[in-house]
Each structure stands twice: as structure tokens, then as C-alpha cells.
Coordinates of all heavy atoms in Angstrom, one line a residue:
Y485 N 0.8 -1.2 0.0 CA 0.0 0.0 0.0 C 0.9 1.3 0.0 O 0.6 2.2 -0.7 CB -0.9 0.0 1.2 CG -1.8 1.2 1.3 CD1 -2.9 1.3 0.4 CD2 -1.6 2.1 2.2 CE1 -3.7 2.4 0.5 CE2 -2.4 3.3 2.3 CZ -3.5 3.4 1.4 OH -4.2 4.5 1.5
W486 N 1.9 1.2 0.8 CA 2.9 2.4 0.9 C 3.5 2.7 -0.5 O 3.5 3.8 -0.9 CB 3.9 2.0 1.9 CG 5.1 2.9 2.0 CD1 6.4 2.6 1.5 CD2 5.2 4.2 2.6 NE1 7.2 3.6 1.8 CE2 6.6 4.6 2.5 CE3 4.4 5.0 3.2 CZ2 7.0 5.8 2.9 CZ3 4.8 6.2 3.7 CH2 6.1 6.6 3.6
R487 N 3.9 1.7 -1.2 CA 4.5 1.9 -2.5 C 3.5 2.4 -3.5 O 3.8 3.2 -4.4 CB 5.2 0.7 -3.0 CG 6.5 0.4 -2.1 CD 7.2 -0.8 -2.7 NE 8.2 -1.2 -1.8 CZ 9.5 -0.7 -1.8 NH1 9.8 0.2 -2.6 NH2 10.4 -1.2 -0.9
I488 N 2.3 2.0 -3.4 CA 1.2 2.4 -4.3 C 0.9 3.9 -4.1 O 0.8 4.7 -5.0 CB -0.1 1.6 -4.1 CG1 0.1 0.2 -4.6 CG2 -1.3 2.2 -4.8 CD1 -1.0 -0.8 -4.3
Q489 N 0.9 4.3 -2.8 CA 0.7 5.7 -2.5 C 1.8 6.6 -3.1 O 1.5 7.6 -3.6 CB 0.6 5.9 -1.0 CG -0.6 5.4 -0.4 CD -1.9 6.2 -0.7 OE1 -1.8 7.3 -1.1 NE2 -3.0 5.5 -0.7
L490 N 3.0 6.1 -3.0 CA 4.1 6.9 -3.5 C 4.2 6.9 -5.0 O 4.6 7.9 -5.6 CB 5.4 6.4 -2.9 CG 5.5 6.7 -1.4 CD1 6.7 6.0 -0.8 CD2 5.6 8.2 -1.2
W491 N 3.7 5.8 -5.6 CA 3.6 5.8 -7.1 C 2.6 6.8 -7.5 O 2.9 7.6 -8.4 CB 3.2 4.4 -7.6 CG 3.0 4.4 -9.0 CD1 4.0 4.2 -10.0 CD2 1.8 4.5 -9.7 NE1 3.4 4.2 -11.2 CE2 2.1 4.4 -11.1 CE3 0.5 4.7 -9.3 CZ2 1.1 4.5 -12.1 CZ3 -0.5 4.8 -10.3 CH2 -0.1 4.7 -11.7
R492 N 1.5 6.9 -6.8 CA 0.5 7.9 -7.1 C 1.1 9.3 -6.9 O 0.9 10.2 -7.7 CB -0.7 7.7 -6.2 CG -1.9 8.6 -6.6 CD -3.1 8.2 -5.9 NE -3.0 8.5 -4.5 CZ -4.0 8.5 -3.7 NH1 -5.2 8.1 -4.0 NH2 -3.8 8.7 -2.4
F493 N 1.9 9.5 -5.9 CA 2.6 10.8 -5.6 C 3.5 11.2 -6.8 O 3.4 12.3 -7.3 CB 3.4 10.6 -4.4 CG 4.6 11.6 -4.3 CD1 4.3 13.0 -4.0 CD2 5.9 11.3 -4.5 CE1 5.3 13.9 -3.9 CE2 6.9 12.2 -4.4 CZ 6.6 13.5 -4.1
R494 N 4.2 10.2 -7.3 CA 5.1 10.5 -8.4 C 4.3 10.9 -9.7 O 4.7 11.8 -10.4 CB 6.1 9.3 -8.7 CG 7.1 9.2 -7.6 CD 8.1 8.1 -8.0 NE 9.0 7.9 -6.8 CZ 9.1 6.8 -6.1 NH1 8.3 5.8 -6.4 NH2 9.9 6.7 -5.1
V495 N 3.3 10.2 -9.9 CA 2.4 10.5 -11.1 C 1.8 11.9 -11.0 O 1.9 12.7 -11.9 CB 1.3 9.4 -11.3 CG1 0.3 9.9 -12.3 CG2 1.9 8.1 -11.6
L496 N 1.3 12.2 -9.8 CA 0.8 13.5 -9.6 C 1.8 14.6 -9.8 O 1.6 15.7 -10.3 CB 0.1 13.6 -8.2 CG -1.2 12.9 -8.1 CD1 -1.6 13.0 -6.6 CD2 -2.3 13.6 -9.0
S497 N 3.0 14.4 -9.2 CA 4.1 15.4 -9.3 C 4.6 15.6 -10.7 O 5.1 16.7 -11.0 CB 5.2 15.1 -8.4 OG 5.9 13.9 -8.8
K498 N 4.4 14.6 -11.6 CA 4.9 14.8 -13.0 C 3.7 15.3 -13.9 O 4.0 15.5 -15.0 CB 5.4 13.5 -13.5 CG 6.7 13.1 -12.8 CD 7.2 11.7 -13.4 CE 8.4 11.3 -12.7 NZ 8.9 10.0 -13.1
S499 N 2.5 15.4 -13.3 CA 1.4 15.8 -14.1 C 1.5 17.3 -14.5 O 2.5 17.9 -14.2 CB 0.1 15.5 -13.4 OG 0.0 16.3 -12.3
A500 N 0.5 17.9 -15.0 CA 0.5 19.2 -15.6 C 1.0 20.3 -14.7 O 1.1 21.4 -15.2 CB -0.9 19.5 -16.1
G501 N 1.3 20.1 -13.5 CA 1.8 21.1 -12.6 C 0.8 22.0 -12.1 O 1.0 23.1 -11.6
L502 N -0.5 21.5 -12.1 CA -1.6 22.3 -11.5 C -1.5 22.4 -10.0 O -0.9 21.5 -9.4 CB -2.9 21.7 -11.9 CG -3.2 21.5 -13.4 CD1 -4.4 20.7 -13.6 CD2 -3.3 22.9 -14.1
M503 N -2.0 23.5 -9.5 CA -1.9 23.6 -8.0 C -2.6 22.5 -7.3 O -2.2 22.0 -6.3 CB -2.6 25.0 -7.6 CG -2.4 25.3 -6.2 SD -0.6 25.4 -5.9 CE -0.6 26.7 -4.7
R504 N -3.7 22.0 -7.9 CA -4.4 20.9 -7.3 C -3.5 19.6 -7.2 O -3.6 18.9 -6.2 CB -5.7 20.6 -8.2 CG -6.5 19.5 -7.6 CD -7.8 19.4 -8.4 NE -8.2 18.0 -8.4 CZ -8.4 17.3 -9.5 NH1 -8.5 17.9 -10.7 NH2 -8.7 16.0 -9.4
A505 N -2.7 19.4 -8.2 CA -1.8 18.3 -8.2 C -0.8 18.4 -7.1 O -0.4 17.5 -6.4 CB -1.2 18.1 -9.5
K506 N -0.3 19.7 -6.9 CA 0.7 19.9 -5.8 C 0.1 19.7 -4.5 O 0.7 19.1 -3.6 CB 1.3 21.3 -6.0 CG 2.1 21.5 -7.2 CD 2.7 22.9 -7.3 CE 3.5 23.1 -8.5 NZ 4.0 24.4 -8.7
N507 N -1.1 20.1 -4.3 CA -1.8 19.9 -3.0 C -2.0 18.4 -2.8 O -1.8 17.9 -1.7 CB -3.1 20.6 -2.9 CG -2.9 22.1 -2.7 OD1 -1.9 22.6 -2.3 ND2 -3.9 22.9 -3.1
S508 N -2.4 17.7 -3.8 CA -2.6 16.2 -3.7 C -1.3 15.5 -3.4 O -1.3 14.6 -2.6 CB -3.2 15.7 -5.0 OG -4.5 16.3 -5.2
K509 N -0.3 16.0 -4.0 CA 1.1 15.4 -3.8 C 1.4 15.5 -2.3 O 1.8 14.5 -1.7 CB 2.1 16.1 -4.6 CG 3.5 15.7 -4.3 CD 4.5 16.5 -5.2 CE 4.6 17.9 -4.8 NZ 5.7 18.6 -5.4
A510 N 1.3 16.6 -1.7 CA 1.6 16.8 -0.3 C 0.8 15.9 0.6 O 1.2 15.2 1.5 CB 1.5 18.2 0.2
N511 N -0.5 15.9 0.3 CA -1.4 15.1 1.1 C -1.1 13.6 1.0 O -1.2 12.8 1.9 CB -2.9 15.3 0.7 CG -3.4 16.7 1.1 OD1 -2.8 17.3 2.0 ND2 -4.4 17.2 0.5
T512 N -0.7 13.2 -0.2 CA -0.4 11.7 -0.5 C 0.8 11.3 0.3 O 0.8 10.3 0.9 CB -0.2 11.5 -2.0 OG1 -1.4 11.9 -2.6 CG2 0.0 10.0 -2.3
V513 N 1.9 12.1 0.3 CA 3.1 11.8 1.1 C 2.8 11.8 2.5 O 3.2 10.8 3.2 CB 4.2 12.8 0.7 CG1 5.4 12.5 1.6 CG2 4.6 12.7 -0.7
D514 N 2.1 12.8 3.0 CA 1.7 12.8 4.5 C 0.9 11.5 4.8 O 1.1 10.9 5.8 CB 0.9 14.0 4.8 CG 1.7 15.3 4.7 OD1 2.9 15.2 4.6 OD2 1.1 16.4 4.7
E515 N -0.1 11.2 4.0 CA -0.9 10.0 4.2 C -0.1 8.7 4.2 O -0.3 7.8 5.0 CB -2.1 9.9 3.2 CG -3.1 11.0 3.4 CD -4.1 11.1 2.2 OE1 -4.0 10.2 1.3 OE2 -4.9 12.0 2.3
A516 N 0.8 8.7 3.2 CA 1.7 7.5 3.1 C 2.6 7.3 4.4 O 2.8 6.2 4.9 CB 2.6 7.5 1.9
I517 N 3.1 8.4 4.9 CA 3.9 8.4 6.1 C 3.0 7.9 7.3 O 3.4 7.0 8.1 CB 4.5 9.7 6.4 CG1 5.6 10.0 5.4 CG2 5.1 9.8 7.8 CD1 6.2 11.4 5.5
V518 N 1.9 8.5 7.4 CA 1.0 8.1 8.5 C 0.6 6.6 8.4 O 0.6 5.9 9.4 CB -0.3 9.0 8.6 CG1 -1.4 8.4 9.5 CG2 0.1 10.4 8.9
D519 N 0.3 6.2 7.2 CA 0.0 4.7 6.9 C 1.1 3.8 7.3 O 0.9 2.8 8.0 CB -0.4 4.5 5.5 CG -1.8 5.1 5.1 OD1 -2.5 5.4 6.0 OD2 -2.0 5.2 3.9
Y520 N 2.3 4.2 7.0 CA 3.5 3.4 7.3 C 3.7 3.4 8.8 O 4.0 2.3 9.4 CB 4.8 4.0 6.7 CG 6.0 3.2 6.8 CD1 6.3 2.1 6.0 CD2 6.9 3.4 7.9 CE1 7.4 1.3 6.1 CE2 8.0 2.6 8.1 CZ 8.2 1.6 7.2 OH 9.4 0.8 7.3
L521 N 3.5 4.5 9.5 CA 3.7 4.5 10.9 C 2.6 3.8 11.7 O 2.8 3.2 12.7 CB 3.8 6.0 11.4 CG 5.1 6.7 11.1 CD1 5.0 8.2 11.5 CD2 6.3 6.0 11.7
S522 N 1.4 3.7 11.1 CA 0.4 3.0 11.7 C 0.6 1.5 11.6 O 0.2 0.7 12.4 CB -1.0 3.4 11.2 OG -1.1 3.1 9.8
A523 N 1.3 1.1 10.5 CA 1.6 -0.3 10.3 C 2.9 -0.8 11.1 O 3.1 -2.0 11.3 CB 1.8 -0.6 8.9
H524 N 3.7 0.2 11.5 CA 4.9 -0.1 12.3 C 4.9 0.8 13.5 O 4.2 1.8 13.6 CB 6.2 0.3 11.4 CG 6.3 -0.4 10.1 ND1 5.6 -0.1 9.0 CD2 7.0 -1.5 9.8 CE1 5.9 -0.9 8.0 NE2 6.7 -1.8 8.5
S525 N 5.5 0.3 14.6 CA 5.5 1.1 15.8 C 6.2 2.4 15.7 O 5.8 3.4 16.3 CB 6.1 0.3 17.0 OG 7.4 0.0 16.7
S526 N 7.3 2.5 14.9 CA 8.0 3.7 14.7 C 8.9 3.6 13.5 O 9.0 2.5 12.9 CB 8.9 4.0 15.9 OG 9.9 3.1 16.1
A527 N 9.4 4.7 13.0 CA 10.3 4.6 11.9 C 11.3 5.8 11.9 O 10.9 6.9 12.4 CB 9.5 4.7 10.6
S528 N 12.5 5.6 11.4 CA 13.4 6.7 11.3 C 13.2 7.3 9.9 O 12.6 6.7 9.0 CB 14.9 6.2 11.4 OG 15.2 5.3 10.3
S529 N 13.7 8.5 9.7 CA 13.6 9.2 8.4 C 14.3 8.4 7.4 O 13.9 8.3 6.2 CB 14.1 10.6 8.5 OG 15.4 10.7 8.9
R530 N 15.4 7.7 7.8 CA 16.2 6.9 6.8 C 15.3 5.7 6.3 O 15.3 5.4 5.1 CB 17.4 6.4 7.5 CG 18.3 5.6 6.5 CD 19.6 5.1 7.2 NE 20.4 4.4 6.3 CZ 21.6 4.1 6.4 NH1 22.2 4.5 7.5 NH2 22.3 3.4 5.5
E531 N 14.6 5.1 7.2 CA 13.7 4.0 6.8 C 12.7 4.5 5.8 O 12.4 3.8 4.8 CB 13.1 3.3 8.0 CG 14.0 2.6 8.9 CD 13.3 2.2 10.2 OE1 12.1 2.5 10.4 OE2 14.0 1.6 11.0
L532 N 12.1 5.6 6.1 CA 11.1 6.2 5.2 C 11.6 6.5 3.9 O 11.0 6.3 2.8 CB 10.4 7.4 5.9 CG 9.6 7.1 7.2 CD1 9.2 8.4 7.9 CD2 8.4 6.3 6.8
V533 N 12.9 7.1 3.8 CA 13.5 7.4 2.6 C 13.8 6.1 1.8 O 13.5 6.1 0.6 CB 14.8 8.1 2.8 CG1 15.7 8.2 1.6 CG2 14.6 9.6 3.3
E534 N 14.3 5.1 2.4 CA 14.5 3.8 1.7 C 13.3 3.2 1.2 O 13.3 2.6 0.1 CB 15.3 2.9 2.7 CG 16.7 3.3 3.0 CD 17.4 2.5 4.0 OE1 16.8 1.6 4.6 OE2 18.6 2.8 4.3
E535 N 12.2 3.2 2.0 CA 10.9 2.6 1.6 C 10.3 3.4 0.4 O 9.7 2.8 -0.5 CB 9.9 2.6 2.7 CG 10.1 1.4 3.6 CD 9.7 0.1 2.9 OE1 8.7 0.0 2.2 OE2 10.5 -0.9 3.1
S536 N 10.4 4.7 0.5 CA 9.7 5.5 -0.5 C 10.4 5.8 -1.8 O 9.8 6.0 -2.8 CB 9.3 6.8 0.2 OG 10.4 7.6 0.4
G537 N 11.8 5.9 -1.7 CA 12.5 6.3 -2.8 C 12.6 7.8 -3.0 O 13.1 8.3 -3.9
L538 N 12.0 8.5 -2.0 CA 12.0 10.0 -2.1 C 13.3 10.5 -1.4 O 14.0 9.8 -0.7 CB 10.8 10.6 -1.3 CG 9.4 10.2 -1.9 CD1 8.3 10.7 -1.0 CD2 9.3 10.8 -3.3
G539 N 13.6 11.8 -1.6 CA 14.7 12.4 -1.0 C 14.6 12.6 0.5 O 13.5 12.7 1.0
R540 N 15.8 12.7 1.1 CA 15.8 12.8 2.6 C 15.2 14.2 3.0 O 14.4 14.2 4.0 CB 17.3 12.8 3.1 CG 17.4 12.9 4.6 CD 18.9 13.0 5.0 NE 19.7 14.0 4.3 CZ 19.7 15.3 4.7 NH1 18.9 15.7 5.7 NH2 20.4 16.2 4.0
S541 N 15.4 15.2 2.2 CA 14.9 16.5 2.6 C 13.3 16.5 2.4 O 12.6 17.1 3.2 CB 15.5 17.6 1.8 OG 15.2 17.4 0.4
T542 N 12.8 15.8 1.4 CA 11.4 15.7 1.2 C 10.7 15.0 2.4 O 9.7 15.5 3.0 CB 11.1 14.9 0.0 OG1 11.6 15.6 -1.1 CG2 9.5 14.8 -0.2
I543 N 11.3 13.9 2.8 CA 10.7 13.2 4.0 C 10.9 14.0 5.3 O 9.9 14.1 6.1 CB 11.4 11.8 4.1 CG1 11.1 10.9 3.0 CG2 11.1 11.1 5.5 CD1 9.7 10.5 2.9
S544 N 12.0 14.6 5.5 CA 12.2 15.5 6.7 C 11.2 16.6 6.7 O 10.7 16.9 7.8 CB 13.7 16.0 6.7 OG 14.6 15.0 6.8
N545 N 11.0 17.3 5.6 CA 10.0 18.4 5.6 C 8.6 17.9 5.9 O 7.9 18.6 6.7 CB 10.0 19.1 4.2 CG 11.3 19.9 4.0 OD1 11.9 20.3 4.9 ND2 11.6 20.1 2.7
H546 N 8.2 16.7 5.4 CA 6.9 16.2 5.7 C 6.8 15.8 7.2 O 5.8 16.0 7.8 CB 6.5 15.1 4.8 CG 6.1 15.6 3.4 ND1 4.9 16.0 3.1 CD2 6.9 15.8 2.3 CE1 4.8 16.4 1.8 NE2 6.0 16.3 1.3
L547 N 7.9 15.2 7.7 CA 7.9 14.8 9.1 C 7.8 16.0 10.0 O 7.0 16.0 11.0 CB 9.1 14.0 9.5 CG 9.1 12.6 9.0 CD1 10.5 12.0 9.1 CD2 8.1 11.7 9.7
K548 N 8.5 17.1 9.7 CA 8.4 18.3 10.5 C 7.0 18.9 10.4 O 6.5 19.4 11.5 CB 9.4 19.4 9.9 CG 10.8 19.1 10.3 CD 11.7 20.1 9.7 CE 13.2 19.7 9.8 NZ 14.1 20.6 9.1
K549 N 6.4 18.9 9.3 CA 5.0 19.4 9.1 C 4.0 18.5 9.9 O 3.2 19.1 10.6 CB 4.6 19.4 7.6 CG 3.2 20.0 7.4 CD 2.9 20.1 5.9 CE 2.4 18.8 5.4 NZ 1.9 18.9 4.0
L550 N 4.2 17.2 9.9 CA 3.3 16.3 10.6 C 3.5 16.5 12.1 O 2.6 16.4 12.9 CB 3.5 14.9 10.2 CG 3.0 14.5 8.8 CD1 3.5 13.2 8.4 CD2 1.5 14.6 8.8
A551 N 4.8 16.7 12.6 CA 5.1 16.9 14.0 C 4.5 18.2 14.4 O 3.9 18.3 15.6 CB 6.6 16.9 14.2
A552 N 4.6 19.3 13.6 CA 4.0 20.6 14.0 C 2.4 20.5 14.1 O 1.8 21.2 14.9 CB 4.4 21.7 13.0
A553 N 1.8 19.6 13.3 CA 0.4 19.5 13.3 C 0.0 18.5 14.5 O -1.2 18.3 14.7 CB -0.1 18.9 12.0
G554 N 0.9 17.9 15.1 CA 0.6 17.0 16.2 C 0.2 15.6 15.8 O -0.5 14.9 16.6
V555 N 0.6 15.2 14.6 CA 0.2 13.9 14.1 C 1.3 12.9 14.5 O 1.0 11.8 14.9 CB 0.0 13.9 12.6 CG1 -0.3 12.6 12.0 CG2 -1.1 14.9 12.2
V556 N 2.5 13.3 14.4 CA 3.6 12.4 14.7 C 4.5 13.1 15.8 O 4.4 14.3 15.9 CB 4.5 12.0 13.5 CG1 3.7 11.3 12.5 CG2 5.3 13.2 12.9
E557 N 5.3 12.3 16.5 CA 6.2 12.9 17.5 C 7.5 12.2 17.4 O 7.6 11.0 17.2 CB 5.6 12.8 18.9 CG 5.4 11.4 19.4 CD 4.7 11.3 20.7 OE1 4.4 12.3 21.3 OE2 4.5 10.1 21.2
P558 N 8.6 13.0 17.7 CA 9.9 12.4 17.7 C 10.1 11.6 19.0 O 9.5 12.0 20.0 CB 10.9 13.6 17.7 CG 10.0 14.8 18.1 CD 8.6 14.5 17.8
M559 N 10.9 10.6 19.0 CA 11.0 9.8 20.2 C 12.4 10.0 20.9 O 12.6 9.6 22.0 CB 11.0 8.3 19.8 CG 9.7 7.9 19.2 SD 9.7 6.2 18.5 CE 9.9 5.2 20.0
E560 N 13.2 10.8 20.3 CA 14.5 11.1 20.9 C 14.7 12.6 20.9 O 14.0 13.4 20.3 CB 15.7 10.5 20.0 CG 15.6 9.0 19.9 CD 16.0 8.3 21.2 OE1 16.8 8.9 22.0 OE2 15.5 7.2 21.4
P561 N 15.7 13.2 21.6 CA 16.0 14.6 21.6 C 16.3 15.1 20.2 O 16.7 14.3 19.4 CB 17.2 14.7 22.5 CG 17.2 13.5 23.4 CD 16.6 12.4 22.5
S562 N 16.0 16.3 20.0 CA 16.2 16.9 18.7 C 17.7 16.7 18.2 O 18.6 16.7 19.0 CB 16.0 18.4 18.8 OG 16.2 19.1 17.6
R563 N 17.8 16.4 17.0 CA 19.1 16.2 16.3 C 19.9 15.0 16.7 O 21.0 14.8 16.5 CB 20.0 17.5 16.4 CG 19.3 18.7 16.1 CD 19.9 19.9 15.6 NE 21.1 19.9 14.8 CZ 21.1 20.1 13.5 NH1 20.0 20.2 12.8 NH2 22.3 20.1 12.8
S564 N 19.2 14.1 17.3 CA 19.8 12.8 17.7 C 20.0 11.9 16.5 O 19.0 11.8 15.6 CB 18.8 12.1 18.7 OG 19.3 10.7 18.9
P565 N 21.1 11.3 16.3 CA 21.3 10.4 15.2 C 20.4 9.1 15.2 O 20.2 8.5 14.2 CB 22.8 10.0 15.2 CG 23.2 10.2 16.7 CD 22.3 11.3 17.2
K566 N 19.8 8.9 16.4 CA 18.9 7.7 16.5 C 17.5 8.1 16.5 O 16.6 7.4 16.9 CB 19.2 7.0 17.9 CG 20.6 6.5 18.0 CD 20.8 5.8 19.3 CE 22.2 5.3 19.4 NZ 22.5 4.7 20.7
Q567 N 17.2 9.3 16.0 CA 15.8 9.8 16.0 C 14.8 8.9 15.2 O 15.1 8.4 14.1 CB 15.8 11.2 15.3 CG 14.4 11.9 15.3 CD 14.0 12.2 16.8 OE1 13.4 11.4 17.4 NE2 14.4 13.3 17.3
R568 N 13.7 8.7 15.9 CA 12.6 7.9 15.3 C 11.4 8.7 15.5 O 11.3 9.5 16.4 CB 12.6 6.5 15.9 CG 13.8 5.6 15.7 CD 13.7 4.2 16.2 NE 12.7 3.4 15.5 CZ 12.9 2.9 14.3 NH1 14.0 3.1 13.6 NH2 12.0 2.1 13.7
Y569 N 10.4 8.4 14.7 CA 9.1 9.0 14.8 C 8.0 8.0 15.0 O 8.1 6.9 14.5 CB 8.8 9.8 13.5 CG 9.8 11.0 13.3 CD1 11.0 10.8 12.7 CD2 9.5 12.2 13.9 CE1 11.9 11.8 12.5 CE2 10.4 13.3 13.7 CZ 11.6 13.0 13.0 OH 12.5 14.1 12.9
R570 N 6.9 8.4 15.7 CA 5.8 7.5 15.9 C 4.5 8.4 15.9 O 4.6 9.6 16.0 CB 5.9 6.8 17.2 CG 5.8 7.7 18.4 CD 5.9 7.0 19.7 NE 5.9 7.9 20.8 CZ 6.4 7.6 22.0 NH1 6.8 6.4 22.3 NH2 6.4 8.5 23.0
L571 N 3.4 7.8 15.7 CA 2.1 8.5 15.7 C 1.8 8.9 17.1 O 2.1 8.2 18.1 CB 1.0 7.6 15.2 CG 1.0 7.2 13.7 CD1 -0.1 6.3 13.4 CD2 1.0 8.5 12.9
V572 N 1.2 10.1 17.3 CA 0.8 10.6 18.6 C -0.4 9.8 19.0 O -1.3 9.5 18.3 CB 0.4 12.1 18.5 CG1 -0.2 12.6 19.8 CG2 1.6 12.9 18.1
R573 N -0.3 9.4 20.3 CA -1.4 8.5 20.8 C -2.6 9.3 21.3 O -2.5 10.3 21.8 CB -0.8 7.6 21.9 CG 0.2 6.7 21.4 CD 0.9 6.0 22.5 NE 2.1 5.4 22.0 CZ 2.5 4.2 22.4 NH1 1.9 3.5 23.3 NH2 3.6 3.7 21.8

């Protein structure tokens, strides 16, 4: 399911470049991250990058946005090399 969501993300990002496609792209990546975290107890940004094939900065930006929205939370102190994320309970 995770890879299907990301495939859909890639298709949308390569489409006509409409604003609607860009908004759908962001929602799809966020939803894919939430789906992955709901299937696993936690994940590092590296694991998400390896699973998705997306860039590290893309995943990091989406994780920061989800953390600011209160959807995910970091499990270690900021800037820890062992940082993992989980869904907020």
C-alpha cells in the first residue's frame, strides 16, 4: 500500500503542474507516512527514505510538518542520530 501511494505521488508530481496536483502530492506523502507509521510502531527518516525512494529533505520536511500538526512525534531529543518518529497517541 505504501509503495502504491508513493507511485501515485510521483504520477501527480509529474502531471500538468496544476496547483491541485501539488496539494494532492503533499497530502499523499503525508498520508503514506501516517499509513507506514500505523503499520509499524516507529520509523526513522532513513527507513522512510529507503521505503519511499523520495529524497531525505522531502521526507524530513513532511515529518516536520506532521510533527507541528501534532500527528507524529519524535522519540529522541532533537538532532539525535537515533531519531525515530511515531504516531501521537
Side-chain angles (χ1 to χ4, degrees):
Y485 180 74
W486 168 255
R487 292 185 189 271
I488 291 170
Q489 289 291 336
L490 290 169
W491 177 81
R492 189 170 67 171
F493 158 75
R494 289 186 185 116
V495 170
L496 286 172
S497 66
K498 291 179 183 177
S499 67
L502 301 172
M503 189 59 146
R504 186 172 141 231
K506 289 181 182 178
N507 288 337
S508 296
K509 172 180 72 171
N511 290 340
T512 303
V513 174
D514 292 346
E515 290 169 6
I517 290 172
V518 169
D519 288 344
Y520 186 85
L521 290 174
S522 64
H524 299 80
S525 60
S526 66
S528 67
S529 58
R530 182 178 181 165
E531 291 170 1
L532 294 170
V533 167
E534 289 172 358
E535 275 294 313
S536 68
L538 298 173
R540 183 184 55 81
S541 62
T542 300
I543 294 295
S544 294
N545 288 335
H546 283 276
L547 284 170
K548 287 177 190 173
K549 184 174 85 170
L550 289 169
V555 177
V556 301
E557 63 184 358
M559 297 174 65
E560 299 291 330
S562 180
R563 311 209 30 104
S564 170
K566 298 179 182 180
Q567 186 63 269
R568 296 185 70 76
Y569 296 88
R570 65 181 174 199
L571 292 177
V572 173
R573 299 174 191 217

